Amino acid sequence: MIHVGLTGWGDHPSLYNQSTVANKKLVDYSKHFPIVELDSTFYAIQSKKVMDKWTEETPANFQFMVKAYQGITGHQRGKLPYDTEEEMFSLFKLSMTSFAESRKLAMVLVQFPPWFDCQKENVDHIRYVQEQLQPLPIAVEFRHQSWYSPAYRQKTLDFLKSLNIIHVVCDEPQVGDGSVPLVPIATDPKVLLRLHGRNGKGWVNTMKDNQTWRKVRYLYDYNEKELQGMREIVNTLQQQAQDVFVIFNNNSGQHAAKNAKQFASLVNIEYGQPLTKQLDLFEEDQ
């Protein structure tokens, strides 16, 4: 089965009603797509109360890809705001309770940083993270090319499969060690395809300037031919996995929602409401 959605629900104005307030955007979003990538959990472990609210606001078949906290992935700068790593993992897992119990947790997305290369120490860390997060399903996204080098590619995939870790397939610019090739291989009954866009210049520049990455890193509008190419990739993944999750992350210019709707149409899926809503002609003037 193919599931299509976006990164976050707060930055897609074409999905909301004019009267939608900020804390109700998830409700509108869930009328358009059945999955979403939750990235606020990367910056801070969310309270169980907040996660319970998001569980209650979404339909029964809605699912979340929850991005792992930065202290788990190695992005954290300085000292962790927790007494121990055990406390950090415990609180993160606790926050997942309502998602897990309602079967709305598709996976925990563990995205490692660009400097996390293929070496024994990092292989051991993946194993450690997987052990700490059990029984939650986890997906791993690499951002250093060494994991897919000719010497290590098959070993990397075999390693993920041996731990029942979901492989994250990425479409992104090919601009050096800090980007990975598109490797359409599933290592689990679930597989995640993340589409970051192909803005090579923006990808490189944001490695140098951390202040501008939100504006330019994912500034890309997939054309029809490129989306058709992604359909072929998804068809390949469908032959290997039961569930293919497709997340559009190209939202610096708010192209993600449009591209996701286009892609859903290409794979013969119809989701929710149209992007362009007609104004209610019978609404009373204010």
Side-chain angles (χ1 to χ4, degrees):
M1 187 172 183
I2 303 171
H3 315 265
V4 182
L6 313 175
T7 298
W9 59 78
D11 299 316
H12 312 290
S14 61
L15 304 182
Y16 317 132
N17 292 315
Q18 289 183 326
S19 59
T20 300
V21 294
N23 65 352
K24 292 298 182 183
K25 287 183 176 180
L26 176 57
V27 175
D28 276 5
Y29 174 96
S30 66
K31 296 173 183 176
H32 292 269
F33 297 104
I35 63 171
V36 72
E37 182 182 304
L38 176 56
D39 62 355
S40 60
T41 49
F42 172 80
Y43 300 100
I45 295 177
Q46 303 296 311
S47 70
K48 185 176 180 300
K49 180 179 179 180
V50 168
M51 302 290 267
D52 289 348
K53 175 178 179 292
W54 292 335
T55 301
E56 294 169 0
E57 286 182 343
T58 49
N61 63 344
F62 193 86
Q63 295 184 77
F64 294 85
M65 267 73 48
V66 179
K67 206 165 183 182
Y69 174 59
Q70 60 186 329
I72 293 173
T73 61
H75 288 84
Q76 176 74 33
R77 304 289 187 179
K79 188 177 181 298
L80 288 172
Y82 303 99
D83 292 335
T84 64
E85 285 191 355
E86 289 74 14
E87 180 188 14
M88 173 185 69
F89 279 106
S90 177
L91 289 173
F92 183 81
K93 289 175 69 174
L94 177 64
S95 71
M96 298 292 113
T97 302
S98 60
F99 283 3
E101 290 180 347
S102 63
R103 297 187 179 182
K104 292 187 176 185
L105 177 64
M107 65 194 71
V108 174
L109 169 58
V110 184
Q111 182 194 58
F112 289 109
W115 57 87
F116 190 85
D117 59 354
C118 188
Q119 57 174 290
K120 184 63 165 62
E121 178 184 1
N122 291 335
V123 170
D124 290 342
H125 185 68
I126 295 171
R127 188 178 285 108
Y128 169 72
V129 169
Q130 193 265 352
E131 291 172 350
Q132 294 301 311
L133 290 178
Q134 285 186 345
L136 303 179
I138 76 167
V140 164
E141 178 177 348
F142 297 111
R143 298 173 69 196
H144 194 281
Q145 281 192 356
S146 59
W147 296 93
Y148 299 105
S149 67
Y152 294 122
R153 170 176 155 155
Q154 192 58 51
K155 292 180 179 179
T156 294
L157 297 169
D158 289 344
F159 172 67
L160 296 180
K161 189 172 184 178
S162 70
L163 294 179
N164 300 314
I165 291 176
I166 300 161
H167 181 219
V168 180
V169 181
C170 296
D171 183 64
E172 60 189 40
Q174 299 301 294
V175 290
D177 290 344
S179 58
V180 299
L182 195 158
V183 180
I185 302 294
T187 57
D188 183 86
K190 294 180 181 179
V191 65
L192 172 59
L193 172 62
R194 298 185 80 222
L195 290 90
H196 298 300
R198 300 176 180 178
N199 183 356
K201 184 177 179 180
W203 198 271
V204 171
N205 288 345
T206 53
M207 290 179 182
K208 301 175 183 177
D209 183 2
N210 290 331
Q211 301 302 313
T212 63
W213 72 272
R214 283 190 180 277
K215 294 181 180 179
V216 300
R217 187 174 178 86
Y218 305 111
L219 181 59
Y220 195 77
D221 186 4
Y222 283 93
N223 62 40
E224 188 75 11
K225 183 178 180 180
E226 290 167 336
L227 291 174
Q228 289 173 354
M230 287 299 103
R231 178 179 60 185
E232 297 308 310
I233 296 299
V234 167
N235 287 341
T236 297
L237 292 171
Q238 269 197 297
Q239 296 173 22
Q240 308 169 47
Q242 295 175 13
D243 290 284
V244 181
F245 295 85
V246 183
I247 288 289
F248 282 81
N249 190 37
N250 57 320
N251 201 46
S252 292
Q254 298 177 349
H255 298 114
K258 180 192 73 170
N259 284 166
K261 291 274 186 172
Q262 290 174 301
F263 181 78
S265 178
L266 283 175
V267 294
N268 299 315
I269 298 173
E270 184 174 345
Y271 285 142
Q273 303 172 359
L275 286 179
T276 304
K277 305 183 189 66
Q278 297 294 324
L279 293 176
D280 188 349
L281 300 179
F282 301 96
E283 184 178 358
E284 183 178 350
D285 293 333
Q286 300 297 315

